[in-house]
Amino acid sequence: MNKPVLDIQDRPSPMQWLTLSLQHLFAMFGATILVPYLVGLSPSIALISSGLGTLAFLMITKWQVPAYLGSSFAFIAPIIAAKTAGGPGAAMIGSFLAGLVYGIVALVIKKAGYRWIMKLLPPIVVGPVIIVIGLGLANTAVNMAMNNPDGKYSFTYFSVALVTLAATIVCSIFLRGMLSLVPVLAGIIVGYVYALIVGVVDFSKVVEAKWFEMPDFLLPFVDYPVHITWDIVLLMTPVAIVTLSEHIGHQLVLSKVVGRDLIQKPGLHRSILGDGTATMISALIGGPPKTTYGENIGVLAITRVYSVYVLAGAAMIAIIFGFIGKVTALISSIPTPVMGGVSILLFGIIASSGLRMLVDSRIDFGDKRNLVISSVILVIGIGGAVLKVTEQFQIQGMALAAIIGVLLNLILPGRPEVNENMFEVKENSNDHVA
């Protein structure tokens, strides 16, 4: 490990603090606002909840784990389905329950260790489920890119999406250093400028917006009744199978970056509890579920600035941004094809990160056991299979694929042994699943 510029507990000077915190803000910004944009939630609440969630995570991990938590891509399809079935309130209830699953898992890990969760969620299960998340959203990205608000094909809209996609790819491949970590933000900016030129941006709301504006918080018992159903439970909580594995992967990569075994100290149970708490806080105010962000881990690796104070500073700036009406209005004015163009690449990267997990873990597809598990997960998940026990009790799509994958891995013979020392395992550094 290279010697850190600022170690985990080091406090930067005021100007360093602001500059370094802004870098982390830019790294997470594009992806964090894309999720609420896709599912119809408030981008300003997403920013505020990411800030609050990150601060909660830092406190729960005793200010020993430098990580930033942003909007999770894994929950996009379940949130859309929950909103369709029961409105935004149902999606928030489901998100809260998913966070609660994290809390339960954290308690079990504290008592029983982490070996059991590695048996439950090996790469042969998680990799294909991540692929399902990415490919399951492919149709959404393409429709956003091609179609106008009436749902009809538009060459102008598609050209905006293609320009945005091209800019994002160019920034991702050719930019170096810190700039290479913000291709999504750069792509959105280029696409927005092009959209302005071809006349598909309505800038009037930005002009009319106030500088300070109270966000549209979505509060339980105030804005919606709290009613838990099996539909919500089975739609949202199984996604935790994927995000828990993602969390473990990020902790392993982060341990390598900072040169400390974060799995042992402050402990995997603390970081998982922090992640779940962030998701529950977000659900209580109307934001999407949270996850640790690979982009911000990348910033840590490049800058060698591991200070938790810098991450806390980014969280505070995100909260402040959520109350600036001009910022919220500007985000809301981004045309759908701009987000569609970015989504084509992002959703593909999610699917590809699942493939990368399988490659890095050296999964042998000459082994019929691995072939069976991955094949069943992919077809059930992408095909949108539904298991209906009753009209009120059904499991569908990704959730069903994940559950069947876990069961097949536990039942079929030939399950490989789990390495006792997670920190020494060669771990992939795939981007968040977001």
Side-chain angles (χ1 to χ4, degrees):
M1 183 193 71
N2 293 325
K3 185 178 179 182
V5 176
L6 288 173
D7 212 345
I8 292 176
Q9 298 299 328
D10 291 345
R11 187 172 301 193
S13 67
M15 278 310 297
Q16 272 186 317
W17 202 338
L18 178 62
T19 305
L20 295 169
S21 292
L22 282 172
Q23 284 181 159
H24 278 284
L25 183 77
F26 290 143
M28 68 83 186
F29 194 86
T32 292
I33 65 168
L34 179 58
V35 174
Y37 189 97
L38 292 172
V39 301
L41 296 175
S42 167
S44 60
I45 300 298
L47 287 173
I48 293 169
S49 59
S50 77
L52 292 174
T54 298
L55 291 174
F57 177 89
L58 293 173
M59 286 187 280
I60 289 170
T61 55
K62 296 184 174 181
W63 302 92
Q64 294 177 24
V65 181
Y68 194 94
L69 281 73
S71 306
S72 172
F73 280 77
F75 285 90
I76 290 175
I79 287 176
I80 292 172
K83 281 187 68 181
T84 302
M92 294 304 101
I93 293 168
S95 297
F96 186 89
L97 293 174
L100 200 59
V101 169
Y102 271 72
I104 294 169
V105 169
L107 288 174
V108 177
I109 288 176
K110 182 173 173 58
K111 295 294 183 184
Y114 52 70
R115 184 179 171 82
W116 66 273
I117 197 168
M118 300 308 293
K119 284 185 176 180
L120 199 65
L121 303 173
I124 188 56
V125 173
V126 177
V129 173
I130 292 173
I131 295 171
V132 167
I133 293 172
L135 296 185
L137 293 166
N139 194 50
T140 300
V142 171
N143 285 335
M144 288 174 65
M146 291 195 312
N147 300 332
N148 62 22
D150 297 326
K152 296 180 181 178
Y153 175 83
S154 168
F155 175 78
T156 303
Y157 272 55
F158 200 25
S159 71
V160 171
L162 292 176
V163 168
T164 304
L165 175 61
T168 308
I169 292 172
V170 168
C171 293
S172 179
I173 298 297
F174 296 105
L175 293 184
R176 290 291 178 264
M178 192 60 58
L179 292 175
S180 67
L181 295 168
V182 290
V184 173
L185 184 62
I188 290 174
I189 292 171
V190 172
Y192 191 89
V193 171
Y194 177 78
L196 272 171
I197 293 170
V198 298
V200 296
V201 176
D202 180 8
F203 206 67
S204 60
K205 290 184 179 179
V206 181
V207 176
E208 295 168 3
K210 299 175 183 177
W211 280 103
F212 176 82
E213 200 166 278
M214 184 61 68
D216 297 322
F217 290 106
L218 191 63
L219 305 175
F221 302 107
V222 177
D223 298 306
Y224 59 89
V226 175
H227 181 56
I228 300 173
T229 66
W230 278 112
D231 278 352
I232 295 174
V233 172
L234 295 173
L235 194 60
M236 299 288 286
T237 56
V239 185
I241 292 174
V242 183
T243 51
L244 278 167
S245 180
E246 175 194 14
H247 176 93
I248 294 168
H250 281 169
Q251 290 301 105
L252 287 166
V253 174
L254 189 55
S255 294
K256 298 287 187 183
V257 170
V258 302
R260 292 174 174 82
D261 188 352
L262 302 176
I263 302 297
Q264 295 294 336
K265 182 182 179 181
L268 185 62
H269 64 286
R270 282 190 174 276
S271 61
I272 286 178
L273 179 60
D275 207 332
T277 301
T279 293
M280 289 189 283
I281 290 172
S282 184
L284 289 173
I285 63 174
K290 296 292 176 275
T291 185
T292 48
Y293 260 25
E295 292 95 327
N296 295 89
I297 295 175
V299 172
L300 293 170
I302 286 179
T303 62
R304 290 184 289 119
V305 173
Y306 311 141
S307 172
V308 289
Y309 295 102
V310 171
L311 276 304
M316 293 300 297
I317 297 171
I319 293 169
I320 293 169
F321 267 34
F323 287 92
I324 300 175
K326 293 284 187 186
V327 172
T328 304
L330 187 63
I331 295 170
S332 300
S333 72
I334 299 173
T336 302
V338 171
M339 290 304 197
V342 169
S343 297
I344 289 173
L345 181 60
L346 273 179
F347 296 162
I349 287 175
I350 291 171
S352 298
S353 70
L355 286 172
R356 180 174 175 174
M357 177 178 284
L358 295 173
V359 172
D360 287 353
S361 302
R362 298 176 183 174
I363 300 300
D364 178 14
F365 282 100
D367 185 337
K368 290 182 181 179
R369 181 182 189 276
N370 293 334
L371 195 62
V372 166
I373 294 172
S374 60
S375 300
V376 171
I377 290 173
L378 289 171
V379 174
I380 286 179
I382 296 172
V386 180
L387 177 63
K388 290 187 177 181
V389 180
T390 66
E391 285 302 319
Q392 287 74 38
F393 190 93
Q394 58 185 33
I395 314 172
Q396 56 187 316
M398 179 179 62
L400 181 60
I403 291 170
I404 290 178
V406 168
L407 291 175
L408 285 175
N409 178 63
L410 294 175
I411 293 169
L412 295 179
R415 188 168 71 243
E417 287 297 314
V418 176
N419 193 306
E420 287 287 353
N421 193 339
M422 292 174 67
F423 185 55
E424 294 302 322
V425 175
K426 179 185 181 297
E427 185 63 33
N428 68 74
S429 58
N430 51 290
D431 291 332
H432 72 272
V433 178

